[in-house]
Amino acid sequence: GHTDASDMESKKITYTVEIQSIRQSSVDSFKTGDWLYLDSNGDAIGQITACDVKPAETAFSTDDGRWVNGAVEGKYDLYLTVKADATENDGHVYVNRIDELNVNSDIKMCTKYVEFTGTITELNR
């Protein structure tokens, strides 16, 4: 049967957003405690609880023709840990009851300070 949205219980979840290959100045504009918003409708979709930075890597060919992974100078991958109040319905996870969170989907998001496209890599219910 169809579940009325008001029957769904809200619970705390965390998820990880990956932002690939950004500059140090962009990394610096993310702070723990900042809220994330959807670009499309301005809805708040969670609060950043941790920011983990790794050197961005890319595959490139060496002089002898091998492909190796190496750091891209001046570029970083940023992993945001985000906490949110979410509801679950038929295996789908929603924030604000309408904004669905999907692993591996690219989402245009923003904080008060920066706009970006992020990929949800992990969803911990």
Side-chain angles (χ1 to χ4, degrees):
H2 183 71
T3 314
D4 184 18
S6 59
D7 298 337
M8 293 195 295
E9 222 171 281
S10 183
K11 60 178 182 176
K12 299 253 185 252
I13 62 159
T14 60
Y15 60 95
T16 305
V17 175
E18 180 185 10
I19 310 159
Q20 288 191 325
S21 199
I22 58 175
R23 296 175 189 284
Q24 183 67 52
S25 58
S26 297
V27 171
D28 292 341
S29 56
F30 289 91
K31 298 275 186 287
T32 303
D34 285 354
W35 283 86
L36 283 189
Y37 304 92
L38 282 180
D39 257 15
S40 54
N41 58 12
D43 284 355
I45 54 167
Q47 191 173 24
I48 299 171
T49 60
C51 304
D52 294 303
V53 185
K54 297 181 177 147
E57 289 201 343
T58 191
F60 60 91
S61 60
T62 59
D63 292 340
D64 57 4
R66 290 178 306 127
W67 284 90
V68 295
N69 271 339
V72 184
E73 200 172 326
K75 292 291 185 85
Y76 302 90
D77 291 340
L78 181 61
Y79 297 86
L80 304 176
T81 304
V82 183
K83 68 171 180 187
D85 288 320
T87 49
E88 202 170 339
N89 192 9
D90 286 339
H92 298 270
V93 177
Y94 300 91
V95 184
N96 309 312
R97 303 196 182 279
I98 53 165
D99 300 311
E100 188 175 350
L101 298 179
N102 285 306
V103 172
N104 294 329
S105 60
D106 291 342
I107 307 176
K108 285 193 184 315
M109 314 179 196
C110 55
T111 68
K112 276 194 298 206
Y113 312 104
V114 63
E115 274 184 39
F116 60 95
T117 299
T119 308
I120 297 177
T121 56
E122 224 179 308
L123 200 52
N124 307 304
R125 300 178 179 161

